[in-house]
Amino acid sequence: MIKEILTYTVFGNTIFNLLFFVLILVGTYWATKLVYFMFKKIFRVLTSRTKSNLDDLLVEALEKPFSYLVVIGGFYLSKEVLVLNETFLNYYDKIFQISIILIIVWFVLRIVDSIMLNSFHPKTKDASDRKLKIDETAYPIFSKLVKFAILVIAFLLIIQNLGYEITS
């Protein structure tokens, strides 16, 4: 009886494959929760013990993008279980590649923003103690210019992954 139910086919997939698909998605949810726990309770505690502030910035910048990376990885892994149309698989792979690029760009933007803010605007109690490496009026322009350059590179990568020729 159970064997018959598990071998029943829906849209070209057996019930067993669909259940395995759902099991992978549930596992992805719990893996994401585990990653959040590791960043909040383990990595932040470890990095707070060091003298350097760079590792704190790195952990903070990596927390959310890495969690989304786990979610995207879970969806990609769950796709492998199902029997899907070739056209749909091509679109799925493109969406996966674009998602990975966007997550990496998000991480890079977060780390660049944190490092620039920490480097150019050191936090001191006395405002006269601050020694800025660049002029305060130039910082927003410089920051936006760096972020714009990163976004342009990301846009070009996405366009190239969609199959368009970007070199000339």
Side-chain angles (χ1 to χ4, degrees), residues 131-159:
K131 307 250 186 207
L132 295 179
K133 295 186 171 108
I134 62 172
D135 187 24
E136 278 195 38
T137 57
Y139 170 75
I141 296 169
F142 183 68
S143 174
K144 289 177 184 176
L145 185 64
V146 170
K147 289 177 187 179
F148 180 74
I150 292 169
L151 290 173
V152 166
I153 292 169
F155 178 73
L156 292 174
L157 282 171
I158 289 171
I159 295 296

mmCIF file of all heavy atoms in Angstrom, residues 131-159:
data_model
loop_
_atom_site.group_PDB
_atom_site.id
_atom_site.type_symbol
_atom_site.label_atom_id
_atom_site.label_comp_id
_atom_site.label_asym_id
_atom_site.label_seq_id
_atom_site.Cartn_x
_atom_site.Cartn_y
_atom_site.Cartn_z
ATOM 1 N N LYS A 131 40.977 61.405 13.540
ATOM 2 C CA LYS A 131 41.927 61.712 12.471
ATOM 3 C C LYS A 131 41.415 61.039 11.213
ATOM 4 O O LYS A 131 41.587 59.849 11.016
ATOM 5 C CB LYS A 131 43.307 61.180 12.825
ATOM 6 C CG LYS A 131 43.801 61.635 14.160
ATOM 7 C CD LYS A 131 44.928 62.583 13.985
ATOM 8 C CE LYS A 131 45.425 62.861 15.354
ATOM 9 N NZ LYS A 131 46.000 63.814 15.835
ATOM 10 N N LEU A 132 40.748 61.800 10.379
ATOM 11 C CA LEU A 132 40.210 61.257 9.142
ATOM 12 C C LEU A 132 41.305 61.182 8.085
ATOM 13 O O LEU A 132 42.119 62.082 7.967
ATOM 14 C CB LEU A 132 39.052 62.105 8.629
ATOM 15 C CG LEU A 132 37.818 62.133 9.509
ATOM 16 C CD1 LEU A 132 36.772 63.034 8.892
ATOM 17 C CD2 LEU A 132 37.269 60.745 9.710
ATOM 18 N N LYS A 133 41.285 60.086 7.339
ATOM 19 C CA LYS A 133 42.278 59.910 6.294
ATOM 20 C C LYS A 133 41.901 60.678 5.034
ATOM 21 O O LYS A 133 42.744 60.979 4.221
ATOM 22 C CB LYS A 133 42.456 58.436 6.005
ATOM 23 C CG LYS A 133 43.031 57.717 7.208
ATOM 24 C CD LYS A 133 43.347 56.289 6.880
ATOM 25 C CE LYS A 133 44.104 55.676 8.027
ATOM 26 N NZ LYS A 133 43.452 54.751 8.814
ATOM 27 N N ILE A 134 40.608 60.928 4.858
ATOM 28 C CA ILE A 134 40.155 61.771 3.748
ATOM 29 C C ILE A 134 39.188 62.801 4.320
ATOM 30 O O ILE A 134 38.678 62.659 5.424
ATOM 31 C CB ILE A 134 39.476 60.956 2.621
ATOM 32 C CG1 ILE A 134 38.228 60.256 3.127
ATOM 33 C CG2 ILE A 134 40.427 59.981 1.999
ATOM 34 C CD1 ILE A 134 37.420 59.609 2.024
ATOM 35 N N ASP A 135 38.945 63.809 3.546
ATOM 36 C CA ASP A 135 38.054 64.886 3.958
ATOM 37 C C ASP A 135 36.644 64.339 4.181
ATOM 38 O O ASP A 135 36.184 63.466 3.461
ATOM 39 C CB ASP A 135 38.052 65.962 2.865
ATOM 40 C CG ASP A 135 37.280 67.188 3.283
ATOM 41 O OD1 ASP A 135 37.138 67.420 4.500
ATOM 42 O OD2 ASP A 135 36.822 67.915 2.382
ATOM 43 N N GLU A 136 35.949 64.866 5.171
ATOM 44 C CA GLU A 136 34.592 64.394 5.471
ATOM 45 C C GLU A 136 33.630 64.620 4.326
ATOM 46 O O GLU A 136 32.684 63.873 4.148
ATOM 47 C CB GLU A 136 34.058 65.075 6.739
ATOM 48 C CG GLU A 136 34.545 64.420 7.997
ATOM 49 C CD GLU A 136 33.745 64.859 9.207
ATOM 50 O OE1 GLU A 136 32.520 65.031 9.102
ATOM 51 O OE2 GLU A 136 34.368 65.023 10.255
ATOM 52 N N THR A 137 33.850 65.644 3.540
ATOM 53 C CA THR A 137 32.958 65.890 2.406
ATOM 54 C C THR A 137 33.261 64.956 1.241
ATOM 55 O O THR A 137 32.393 64.693 0.416
ATOM 56 C CB THR A 137 33.075 67.347 1.929
ATOM 57 O OG1 THR A 137 34.432 67.619 1.581
ATOM 58 C CG2 THR A 137 32.611 68.295 3.005
ATOM 59 N N ALA A 138 34.483 64.453 1.170
ATOM 60 C CA ALA A 138 34.862 63.542 0.079
ATOM 61 C C ALA A 138 34.447 62.112 0.373
ATOM 62 O O ALA A 138 34.301 61.309 -0.560
ATOM 63 C CB ALA A 138 36.356 63.611 -0.170
ATOM 64 N N TYR A 139 34.264 61.769 1.644
ATOM 65 C CA TYR A 139 33.934 60.385 1.992
ATOM 66 C C TYR A 139 32.653 59.881 1.319
ATOM 67 O O TYR A 139 32.671 58.806 0.721
ATOM 68 C CB TYR A 139 33.830 60.224 3.519
ATOM 69 C CG TYR A 139 33.268 58.889 3.916
ATOM 70 C CD1 TYR A 139 34.039 57.741 3.833
ATOM 71 C CD2 TYR A 139 31.950 58.759 4.331
ATOM 72 C CE1 TYR A 139 33.527 56.505 4.164
ATOM 73 C CE2 TYR A 139 31.423 57.529 4.655
ATOM 74 C CZ TYR A 139 32.215 56.409 4.577
ATOM 75 O OH TYR A 139 31.703 55.191 4.892
ATOM 76 N N PRO A 140 31.529 60.610 1.369
ATOM 77 C CA PRO A 140 30.316 60.091 0.715
ATOM 78 C C PRO A 140 30.485 59.899 -0.788
ATOM 79 O O PRO A 140 30.003 58.921 -1.353
ATOM 80 C CB PRO A 140 29.249 61.147 1.016
ATOM 81 C CG PRO A 140 29.748 61.903 2.167
ATOM 82 C CD PRO A 140 31.233 61.849 2.099
ATOM 83 N N ILE A 141 31.196 60.797 -1.421
ATOM 84 C CA ILE A 141 31.425 60.665 -2.863
ATOM 85 C C ILE A 141 32.291 59.449 -3.152
ATOM 86 O O ILE A 141 31.983 58.654 -4.045
ATOM 87 C CB ILE A 141 32.065 61.962 -3.419
ATOM 88 C CG1 ILE A 141 31.101 63.120 -3.252
ATOM 89 C CG2 ILE A 141 32.479 61.782 -4.867
ATOM 90 C CD1 ILE A 141 31.717 64.479 -3.512
ATOM 91 N N PHE A 142 33.368 59.299 -2.402
ATOM 92 C CA PHE A 142 34.267 58.165 -2.590
ATOM 93 C C PHE A 142 33.539 56.850 -2.317
ATOM 94 O O PHE A 142 33.674 55.875 -3.061
ATOM 95 C CB PHE A 142 35.483 58.309 -1.663
ATOM 96 C CG PHE A 142 36.501 57.234 -1.823
ATOM 97 C CD1 PHE A 142 37.256 57.141 -2.988
ATOM 98 C CD2 PHE A 142 36.706 56.303 -0.819
ATOM 99 C CE1 PHE A 142 38.199 56.137 -3.137
ATOM 100 C CE2 PHE A 142 37.639 55.310 -0.964
ATOM 101 C CZ PHE A 142 38.401 55.220 -2.120
ATOM 102 N N SER A 143 32.733 56.826 -1.271
ATOM 103 C CA SER A 143 31.976 55.621 -0.922
ATOM 104 C C SER A 143 30.997 55.244 -2.028
ATOM 105 O O SER A 143 30.903 54.079 -2.430
ATOM 106 C CB SER A 143 31.229 55.866 0.389
ATOM 107 O OG SER A 143 30.382 54.807 0.690
ATOM 108 N N LYS A 144 30.262 56.212 -2.526
ATOM 109 C CA LYS A 144 29.296 55.944 -3.592
ATOM 110 C C LYS A 144 29.982 55.528 -4.885
ATOM 111 O O LYS A 144 29.470 54.681 -5.618
ATOM 112 C CB LYS A 144 28.404 57.162 -3.827
ATOM 113 C CG LYS A 144 27.429 57.377 -2.698
ATOM 114 C CD LYS A 144 26.602 58.619 -2.891
ATOM 115 C CE LYS A 144 25.708 58.818 -1.667
ATOM 116 N NZ LYS A 144 24.941 60.040 -1.733
ATOM 117 N N LEU A 145 31.141 56.084 -5.149
ATOM 118 C CA LEU A 145 31.893 55.727 -6.348
ATOM 119 C C LEU A 145 32.360 54.271 -6.299
ATOM 120 O O LEU A 145 32.240 53.537 -7.281
ATOM 121 C CB LEU A 145 33.092 56.671 -6.519
ATOM 122 C CG LEU A 145 33.911 56.512 -7.783
ATOM 123 C CD1 LEU A 145 33.057 56.834 -9.010
ATOM 124 C CD2 LEU A 145 35.122 57.418 -7.733
ATOM 125 N N VAL A 146 32.865 53.849 -5.159
ATOM 126 C CA VAL A 146 33.305 52.456 -5.002
ATOM 127 C C VAL A 146 32.118 51.508 -5.122
ATOM 128 O O VAL A 146 32.191 50.485 -5.815
ATOM 129 C CB VAL A 146 34.040 52.271 -3.649
ATOM 130 C CG1 VAL A 146 34.277 50.806 -3.351
ATOM 131 C CG2 VAL A 146 35.348 53.031 -3.649
ATOM 132 N N LYS A 147 31.011 51.836 -4.477
ATOM 133 C CA LYS A 147 29.817 50.986 -4.557
ATOM 134 C C LYS A 147 29.275 50.928 -5.982
ATOM 135 O O LYS A 147 28.860 49.869 -6.455
ATOM 136 C CB LYS A 147 28.732 51.499 -3.605
ATOM 137 C CG LYS A 147 29.058 51.280 -2.155
ATOM 138 C CD LYS A 147 27.982 51.882 -1.280
ATOM 139 C CE LYS A 147 28.354 51.824 0.179
ATOM 140 N NZ LYS A 147 27.330 52.418 1.023
ATOM 141 N N PHE A 148 29.298 52.058 -6.679
ATOM 142 C CA PHE A 148 28.836 52.095 -8.064
ATOM 143 C C PHE A 148 29.708 51.205 -8.944
ATOM 144 O O PHE A 148 29.193 50.474 -9.797
ATOM 145 C CB PHE A 148 28.831 53.537 -8.583
ATOM 146 C CG PHE A 148 28.372 53.661 -10.007
ATOM 147 C CD1 PHE A 148 27.029 53.515 -10.324
ATOM 148 C CD2 PHE A 148 29.274 53.907 -11.019
ATOM 149 C CE1 PHE A 148 26.593 53.615 -11.634
ATOM 150 C CE2 PHE A 148 28.852 54.019 -12.338
ATOM 151 C CZ PHE A 148 27.514 53.866 -12.642
ATOM 152 N N ALA A 149 31.017 51.242 -8.737
ATOM 153 C CA ALA A 149 31.929 50.402 -9.519
ATOM 154 C C ALA A 149 31.637 48.917 -9.276
ATOM 155 O O ALA A 149 31.615 48.106 -10.219
ATOM 156 C CB ALA A 149 33.376 50.726 -9.173
ATOM 157 N N ILE A 150 31.381 48.556 -8.039
ATOM 158 C CA ILE A 150 31.055 47.161 -7.719
ATOM 159 C C ILE A 150 29.741 46.753 -8.379
ATOM 160 O O ILE A 150 29.625 45.655 -8.940
ATOM 161 C CB ILE A 150 30.998 46.963 -6.180
ATOM 162 C CG1 ILE A 150 32.393 47.122 -5.584
ATOM 163 C CG2 ILE A 150 30.412 45.609 -5.824
ATOM 164 C CD1 ILE A 150 32.407 47.204 -4.074
ATOM 165 N N LEU A 151 28.754 47.623 -8.340
ATOM 166 C CA LEU A 151 27.458 47.323 -8.955
ATOM 167 C C LEU A 151 27.553 47.223 -10.478
ATOM 168 O O LEU A 151 26.874 46.383 -11.087
ATOM 169 C CB LEU A 151 26.422 48.363 -8.546
ATOM 170 C CG LEU A 151 25.986 48.302 -7.082
ATOM 171 C CD1 LEU A 151 25.079 49.480 -6.740
ATOM 172 C CD2 LEU A 151 25.300 46.991 -6.773
ATOM 173 N N VAL A 152 28.391 48.031 -11.100
ATOM 174 C CA VAL A 152 28.580 47.946 -12.546
ATOM 175 C C VAL A 152 29.211 46.606 -12.912
ATOM 176 O O VAL A 152 28.784 45.939 -13.869
ATOM 177 C CB VAL A 152 29.432 49.128 -13.067
ATOM 178 C CG1 VAL A 152 29.932 48.886 -14.479
ATOM 179 C CG2 VAL A 152 28.627 50.414 -13.013
ATOM 180 N N ILE A 153 30.205 46.185 -12.152
ATOM 181 C CA ILE A 153 30.833 44.881 -12.402
ATOM 182 C C ILE A 153 29.817 43.762 -12.225
ATOM 183 O O ILE A 153 29.760 42.819 -13.024
ATOM 184 C CB ILE A 153 32.057 44.689 -11.482
ATOM 185 C CG1 ILE A 153 33.160 45.669 -11.884
ATOM 186 C CG2 ILE A 153 32.571 43.256 -11.531
ATOM 187 C CD1 ILE A 153 34.305 45.757 -10.896
ATOM 188 N N ALA A 154 28.987 43.859 -11.195
ATOM 189 C CA ALA A 154 27.948 42.840 -10.971
ATOM 190 C C ALA A 154 26.957 42.810 -12.118
ATOM 191 O O ALA A 154 26.564 41.730 -12.584
ATOM 192 C CB ALA A 154 27.227 43.117 -9.656
ATOM 193 N N PHE A 155 26.547 43.982 -12.583
ATOM 194 C CA PHE A 155 25.615 44.064 -13.704
ATOM 195 C C PHE A 155 26.210 43.409 -14.947
ATOM 196 O O PHE A 155 25.531 42.659 -15.655
ATOM 197 C CB PHE A 155 25.247 45.530 -13.974
ATOM 198 C CG PHE A 155 24.337 45.719 -15.141
ATOM 199 C CD1 PHE A 155 23.003 45.374 -15.055
ATOM 200 C CD2 PHE A 155 24.816 46.228 -16.338
ATOM 201 C CE1 PHE A 155 22.150 45.544 -16.130
ATOM 202 C CE2 PHE A 155 23.981 46.404 -17.426
ATOM 203 C CZ PHE A 155 22.643 46.054 -17.324
ATOM 204 N N LEU A 156 27.484 43.674 -15.211
ATOM 205 C CA LEU A 156 28.140 43.065 -16.368
ATOM 206 C C LEU A 156 28.232 41.544 -16.231
ATOM 207 O O LEU A 156 28.047 40.816 -17.210
ATOM 208 C CB LEU A 156 29.527 43.675 -16.567
ATOM 209 C CG LEU A 156 29.546 45.140 -17.007
ATOM 210 C CD1 LEU A 156 30.967 45.676 -17.037
ATOM 211 C CD2 LEU A 156 28.860 45.312 -18.348
ATOM 212 N N LEU A 157 28.493 41.059 -15.027
ATOM 213 C CA LEU A 157 28.529 39.609 -14.808
ATOM 214 C C LEU A 157 27.161 38.977 -15.044
ATOM 215 O O LEU A 157 27.060 37.893 -15.634
ATOM 216 C CB LEU A 157 29.008 39.298 -13.387
ATOM 217 C CG LEU A 157 30.494 39.403 -13.131
ATOM 218 C CD1 LEU A 157 30.787 39.278 -11.650
ATOM 219 C CD2 LEU A 157 31.241 38.340 -13.910
ATOM 220 N N ILE A 158 26.125 39.649 -14.579
ATOM 221 C CA ILE A 158 24.766 39.119 -14.772
ATOM 222 C C ILE A 158 24.408 39.098 -16.254
ATOM 223 O O ILE A 158 23.874 38.108 -16.758
ATOM 224 C CB ILE A 158 23.749 39.940 -13.949
ATOM 225 C CG1 ILE A 158 23.941 39.657 -12.464
ATOM 226 C CG2 ILE A 158 22.324 39.629 -14.381
ATOM 227 C CD1 ILE A 158 23.144 40.561 -11.550
ATOM 228 N N ILE A 159 24.708 40.167 -16.954
ATOM 229 C CA ILE A 159 24.432 40.222 -18.386
ATOM 230 C C ILE A 159 25.190 39.116 -19.123
ATOM 231 O O ILE A 159 24.648 38.449 -20.006
ATOM 232 C CB ILE A 159 24.791 41.618 -18.960
ATOM 233 C CG1 ILE A 159 23.897 42.691 -18.366
ATOM 234 C CG2 ILE A 159 24.740 41.638 -20.469
ATOM 235 C CD1 ILE A 159 22.430 42.538 -18.732
#
